[in-house]
Amino acid sequence: MCRLCAVLSDEAVLLADFLLRPRMSLVRQSYAAQERRALPQGVLPSMAYQQPFLNADGFGVGWYTPPKEGEGDASAVDHPCVFTSLKPAWNDPNLRNISEEVRSPLVLAHIRAAGPALPVSE
């Protein structure tokens, strides 16, 4: 099961304030999810997608940055940005670094858990 998080705010929000810091942040849910169904007792997982608590097949974050200095006229628009990776979200230092620096009023983030028919690829 993939996980999504969206933020729409009147003010720019630091990505780390909802991706990393909360007790049940999106990154924490990627390695400690409790809602997924567990395997029957005595059955050992043979594939990563069978781990009942892992979403380890990549992630993505999209946000908008405000217009740059000097672009304050009526035609200025926010600039879309995207960061994706096939790494687990909890193991990507770039996600942590970006999350501590980027602020945006509009963000969409996802954590992927691939299944047997959905391979992990670029």
Side-chain angles (χ1 to χ4, degrees):
M1 167 177 42
C2 295
R3 297 181 177 273
L4 296 170
C5 177
V7 172
L8 178 59
S9 174
D10 291 333
E11 298 180 15
V13 179
L14 188 66
L15 271 60
D17 287 345
F18 60 91
L19 291 180
L20 304 176
R21 294 194 180 116
R23 186 176 61 82
M24 287 309 297
S25 69
L26 195 62
V27 170
R28 179 166 170 79
Q29 289 181 47
S30 71
Y31 66 83
Q34 298 177 11
E35 297 85 6
R36 289 179 64 188
R37 184 182 308 248
L39 292 174
Q41 188 171 358
V43 176
L44 297 175
S46 60
M47 302 293 286
Y49 68 84
Q50 291 177 325
Q51 294 285 347
F53 52 85
L54 289 181
N55 289 71
D57 299 314
F59 65 90
V61 181
W63 68 92
Y64 282 89
T65 61
K68 293 183 173 86
E69 292 290 324
E71 293 182 355
D73 62 7
S75 65
V77 295
D78 293 349
H79 301 281
C81 302
V82 176
F83 177 61
T84 63
S85 176
L86 294 178
K87 294 179 185 177
W90 69 82
N91 198 33
D92 193 314
N94 291 326
L95 177 61
R96 292 192 181 281
N97 293 338
I98 288 170
S99 295
E100 294 291 348
E101 298 296 328
V102 172
R103 294 178 180 274
S104 178
L106 178 59
V107 181
L108 178 64
H110 82 280
I111 303 288
R112 184 163 185 247
L118 302 167
V120 177
S121 62
E122 289 284 341

PDB file of all heavy atoms in Angstrom, residues 37-56:
ATOM      1  N   ARG A  37      -1.859  -5.484   6.736  1.00  0.00           N
ATOM      2  CA  ARG A  37      -2.157  -6.820   7.251  1.00  0.00           C
ATOM      3  C   ARG A  37      -0.872  -7.628   7.416  1.00  0.00           C
ATOM      4  O   ARG A  37      -0.027  -7.680   6.538  1.00  0.00           O
ATOM      5  CB  ARG A  37      -3.075  -7.529   6.265  1.00  0.00           C
ATOM      6  CG  ARG A  37      -3.539  -8.886   6.726  1.00  0.00           C
ATOM      7  CD  ARG A  37      -4.393  -9.531   5.660  1.00  0.00           C
ATOM      8  NE  ARG A  37      -5.434  -8.627   5.247  1.00  0.00           N
ATOM      9  CZ  ARG A  37      -6.722  -8.816   5.483  1.00  0.00           C
ATOM     10  NH1 ARG A  37      -7.108  -9.870   6.136  1.00  0.00           N
ATOM     11  NH2 ARG A  37      -7.608  -7.956   5.058  1.00  0.00           N
ATOM     12  N   ALA A  38      -0.739  -8.254   8.545  1.00  0.00           N
ATOM     13  CA  ALA A  38       0.424  -9.090   8.831  1.00  0.00           C
ATOM     14  C   ALA A  38       0.261 -10.454   8.164  1.00  0.00           C
ATOM     15  O   ALA A  38      -0.862 -10.901   7.892  1.00  0.00           O
ATOM     16  CB  ALA A  38       0.589  -9.267  10.336  1.00  0.00           C
ATOM     17  N   LEU A  39       1.369 -11.101   7.915  1.00  0.00           N
ATOM     18  CA  LEU A  39       1.328 -12.463   7.386  1.00  0.00           C
ATOM     19  C   LEU A  39       0.821 -13.407   8.479  1.00  0.00           C
ATOM     20  O   LEU A  39       0.975 -13.131   9.669  1.00  0.00           O
ATOM     21  CB  LEU A  39       2.729 -12.884   6.941  1.00  0.00           C
ATOM     22  CG  LEU A  39       3.286 -12.142   5.729  1.00  0.00           C
ATOM     23  CD1 LEU A  39       4.726 -12.551   5.495  1.00  0.00           C
ATOM     24  CD2 LEU A  39       2.458 -12.398   4.496  1.00  0.00           C
ATOM     25  N   PRO A  40       0.244 -14.527   8.093  1.00  0.00           N
ATOM     26  CA  PRO A  40      -0.214 -15.491   9.108  1.00  0.00           C
ATOM     27  C   PRO A  40       0.949 -15.941   9.989  1.00  0.00           C
ATOM     28  O   PRO A  40       2.101 -15.985   9.550  1.00  0.00           O
ATOM     29  CB  PRO A  40      -0.742 -16.660   8.271  1.00  0.00           C
ATOM     30  CG  PRO A  40      -1.037 -16.077   6.928  1.00  0.00           C
ATOM     31  CD  PRO A  40      -0.061 -14.956   6.739  1.00  0.00           C
ATOM     32  N   GLN A  41       0.644 -16.258  11.212  1.00  0.00           N
ATOM     33  CA  GLN A  41       1.675 -16.679  12.161  1.00  0.00           C
ATOM     34  C   GLN A  41       2.419 -17.893  11.616  1.00  0.00           C
ATOM     35  O   GLN A  41       1.819 -18.836  11.100  1.00  0.00           O
ATOM     36  CB  GLN A  41       1.043 -17.010  13.504  1.00  0.00           C
ATOM     37  CG  GLN A  41       2.074 -17.274  14.570  1.00  0.00           C
ATOM     38  CD  GLN A  41       1.445 -17.384  15.946  1.00  0.00           C
ATOM     39  OE1 GLN A  41       0.253 -17.230  16.103  1.00  0.00           O
ATOM     40  NE2 GLN A  41       2.268 -17.658  16.936  1.00  0.00           N
ATOM     41  N   GLY A  42       3.734 -17.835  11.704  1.00  0.00           N
ATOM     42  CA  GLY A  42       4.576 -18.929  11.236  1.00  0.00           C
ATOM     43  C   GLY A  42       5.014 -18.790   9.790  1.00  0.00           C
ATOM     44  O   GLY A  42       5.883 -19.514   9.340  1.00  0.00           O
ATOM     45  N   VAL A  43       4.424 -17.866   9.028  1.00  0.00           N
ATOM     46  CA  VAL A  43       4.807 -17.659   7.630  1.00  0.00           C
ATOM     47  C   VAL A  43       5.862 -16.562   7.582  1.00  0.00           C
ATOM     48  O   VAL A  43       5.647 -15.458   8.069  1.00  0.00           O
ATOM     49  CB  VAL A  43       3.582 -17.260   6.770  1.00  0.00           C
ATOM     50  CG1 VAL A  43       4.018 -16.948   5.349  1.00  0.00           C
ATOM     51  CG2 VAL A  43       2.544 -18.359   6.797  1.00  0.00           C
ATOM     52  N   LEU A  44       7.003 -16.863   6.995  1.00  0.00           N
ATOM     53  CA  LEU A  44       8.078 -15.887   6.874  1.00  0.00           C
ATOM     54  C   LEU A  44       7.994 -15.206   5.518  1.00  0.00           C
ATOM     55  O   LEU A  44       7.759 -15.864   4.501  1.00  0.00           O
ATOM     56  CB  LEU A  44       9.434 -16.569   7.029  1.00  0.00           C
ATOM     57  CG  LEU A  44       9.693 -17.219   8.387  1.00  0.00           C
ATOM     58  CD1 LEU A  44      11.024 -17.952   8.365  1.00  0.00           C
ATOM     59  CD2 LEU A  44       9.669 -16.164   9.479  1.00  0.00           C
ATOM     60  N   PRO A  45       8.197 -13.881   5.472  1.00  0.00           N
ATOM     61  CA  PRO A  45       8.150 -13.176   4.191  1.00  0.00           C
ATOM     62  C   PRO A  45       9.324 -13.589   3.311  1.00  0.00           C
ATOM     63  O   PRO A  45      10.450 -13.698   3.772  1.00  0.00           O
ATOM     64  CB  PRO A  45       8.230 -11.709   4.585  1.00  0.00           C
ATOM     65  CG  PRO A  45       8.843 -11.701   5.934  1.00  0.00           C
ATOM     66  CD  PRO A  45       8.470 -12.992   6.590  1.00  0.00           C
ATOM     67  N   SER A  46       9.053 -13.826   2.037  1.00  0.00           N
ATOM     68  CA  SER A  46      10.127 -14.195   1.115  1.00  0.00           C
ATOM     69  C   SER A  46      10.500 -13.030   0.208  1.00  0.00           C
ATOM     70  O   SER A  46      11.533 -13.061  -0.437  1.00  0.00           O
ATOM     71  CB  SER A  46       9.705 -15.391   0.263  1.00  0.00           C
ATOM     72  OG  SER A  46       8.553 -15.071  -0.486  1.00  0.00           O
ATOM     73  N   MET A  47       9.668 -12.007   0.153  1.00  0.00           N
ATOM     74  CA  MET A  47       9.934 -10.838  -0.693  1.00  0.00           C
ATOM     75  C   MET A  47       9.712  -9.581   0.149  1.00  0.00           C
ATOM     76  O   MET A  47       8.916  -9.588   1.080  1.00  0.00           O
ATOM     77  CB  MET A  47       8.980 -10.810  -1.890  1.00  0.00           C
ATOM     78  CG  MET A  47       9.048 -12.051  -2.758  1.00  0.00           C
ATOM     79  SD  MET A  47      10.608 -12.224  -3.628  1.00  0.00           S
ATOM     80  CE  MET A  47      10.429 -10.980  -4.857  1.00  0.00           C
ATOM     81  N   ALA A  48      10.379  -8.482  -0.225  1.00  0.00           N
ATOM     82  CA  ALA A  48      10.254  -7.239   0.541  1.00  0.00           C
ATOM     83  C   ALA A  48       8.816  -6.751   0.603  1.00  0.00           C
ATOM     84  O   ALA A  48       8.377  -6.227   1.617  1.00  0.00           O
ATOM     85  CB  ALA A  48      11.141  -6.158  -0.069  1.00  0.00           C
ATOM     86  N   TYR A  49       8.053  -6.934  -0.482  1.00  0.00           N
ATOM     87  CA  TYR A  49       6.676  -6.434  -0.480  1.00  0.00           C
ATOM     88  C   TYR A  49       5.786  -7.201   0.500  1.00  0.00           C
ATOM     89  O   TYR A  49       4.687  -6.771   0.818  1.00  0.00           O
ATOM     90  CB  TYR A  49       6.067  -6.466  -1.883  1.00  0.00           C
ATOM     91  CG  TYR A  49       5.821  -7.836  -2.447  1.00  0.00           C
ATOM     92  CD1 TYR A  49       4.659  -8.528  -2.143  1.00  0.00           C
ATOM     93  CD2 TYR A  49       6.739  -8.427  -3.295  1.00  0.00           C
ATOM     94  CE1 TYR A  49       4.441  -9.792  -2.652  1.00  0.00           C
ATOM     95  CE2 TYR A  49       6.522  -9.686  -3.806  1.00  0.00           C
ATOM     96  CZ  TYR A  49       5.364 -10.358  -3.483  1.00  0.00           C
ATOM     97  OH  TYR A  49       5.139 -11.611  -3.995  1.00  0.00           O
ATOM     98  N   GLN A  50       6.260  -8.345   1.005  1.00  0.00           N
ATOM     99  CA  GLN A  50       5.475  -9.101   1.970  1.00  0.00           C
ATOM    100  C   GLN A  50       5.721  -8.637   3.408  1.00  0.00           C
ATOM    101  O   GLN A  50       5.038  -9.075   4.316  1.00  0.00           O
ATOM    102  CB  GLN A  50       5.801 -10.595   1.854  1.00  0.00           C
ATOM    103  CG  GLN A  50       5.296 -11.198   0.563  1.00  0.00           C
ATOM    104  CD  GLN A  50       5.696 -12.651   0.432  1.00  0.00           C
ATOM    105  OE1 GLN A  50       6.764 -13.052   0.863  1.00  0.00           O
ATOM    106  NE2 GLN A  50       4.826 -13.429  -0.168  1.00  0.00           N
ATOM    107  N   GLN A  51       6.691  -7.769   3.598  1.00  0.00           N
ATOM    108  CA  GLN A  51       6.917  -7.218   4.935  1.00  0.00           C
ATOM    109  C   GLN A  51       5.702  -6.361   5.281  1.00  0.00           C
ATOM    110  O   GLN A  51       5.392  -5.417   4.572  1.00  0.00           O
ATOM    111  CB  GLN A  51       8.177  -6.359   4.965  1.00  0.00           C
ATOM    112  CG  GLN A  51       9.448  -7.128   4.728  1.00  0.00           C
ATOM    113  CD  GLN A  51       9.850  -7.948   5.936  1.00  0.00           C
ATOM    114  OE1 GLN A  51       9.329  -7.782   7.021  1.00  0.00           O
ATOM    115  NE2 GLN A  51      10.788  -8.855   5.737  1.00  0.00           N
ATOM    116  N   PRO A  52       5.001  -6.647   6.343  1.00  0.00           N
ATOM    117  CA  PRO A  52       3.762  -5.942   6.632  1.00  0.00           C
ATOM    118  C   PRO A  52       3.945  -4.494   7.062  1.00  0.00           C
ATOM    119  O   PRO A  52       2.992  -3.756   7.107  1.00  0.00           O
ATOM    120  CB  PRO A  52       3.157  -6.766   7.766  1.00  0.00           C
ATOM    121  CG  PRO A  52       4.299  -7.446   8.408  1.00  0.00           C
ATOM    122  CD  PRO A  52       5.290  -7.700   7.303  1.00  0.00           C
ATOM    123  N   PHE A  53       5.156  -4.072   7.342  1.00  0.00           N
ATOM    124  CA  PHE A  53       5.341  -2.735   7.867  1.00  0.00           C
ATOM    125  C   PHE A  53       6.247  -1.863   7.014  1.00  0.00           C
ATOM    126  O   PHE A  53       6.576  -0.758   7.396  1.00  0.00           O
ATOM    127  CB  PHE A  53       5.903  -2.800   9.298  1.00  0.00           C
ATOM    128  CG  PHE A  53       7.125  -3.667   9.392  1.00  0.00           C
ATOM    129  CD1 PHE A  53       8.369  -3.169   9.118  1.00  0.00           C
ATOM    130  CD2 PHE A  53       7.001  -5.002   9.737  1.00  0.00           C
ATOM    131  CE1 PHE A  53       9.486  -3.969   9.184  1.00  0.00           C
ATOM    132  CE2 PHE A  53       8.123  -5.816   9.816  1.00  0.00           C
ATOM    133  CZ  PHE A  53       9.369  -5.301   9.544  1.00  0.00           C
ATOM    134  N   LEU A  54       6.682  -2.322   5.839  1.00  0.00           N
ATOM    135  CA  LEU A  54       7.628  -1.564   5.019  1.00  0.00           C
ATOM    136  C   LEU A  54       7.001  -0.960   3.765  1.00  0.00           C
ATOM    137  O   LEU A  54       6.214  -1.612   3.085  1.00  0.00           O
ATOM    138  CB  LEU A  54       8.786  -2.460   4.571  1.00  0.00           C
ATOM    139  CG  LEU A  54       9.789  -2.883   5.615  1.00  0.00           C
ATOM    140  CD1 LEU A  54      10.876  -3.732   4.978  1.00  0.00           C
ATOM    141  CD2 LEU A  54      10.399  -1.687   6.309  1.00  0.00           C
ATOM    142  N   ASN A  55       7.366   0.272   3.504  1.00  0.00           N
ATOM    143  CA  ASN A  55       7.120   0.925   2.230  1.00  0.00           C
ATOM    144  C   ASN A  55       8.500   1.372   1.753  1.00  0.00           C
ATOM    145  O   ASN A  55       8.912   2.503   1.981  1.00  0.00           O
ATOM    146  CB  ASN A  55       6.204   2.142   2.400  1.00  0.00           C
ATOM    147  CG  ASN A  55       4.789   1.749   2.712  1.00  0.00           C
ATOM    148  OD1 ASN A  55       4.502   1.282   3.793  1.00  0.00           O
ATOM    149  ND2 ASN A  55       3.917   1.911   1.747  1.00  0.00           N
ATOM    150  N   ALA A  56       9.225   0.466   1.118  1.00  0.00           N
ATOM    151  CA  ALA A  56      10.644   0.687   0.852  1.00  0.00           C
ATOM    152  C   ALA A  56      10.995   0.787  -0.628  1.00  0.00           C
ATOM    153  O   ALA A  56      12.147   0.649  -0.986  1.00  0.00           O
ATOM    154  CB  ALA A  56      11.446  -0.452   1.480  1.00  0.00           C
TER     155      ALA A  56
END
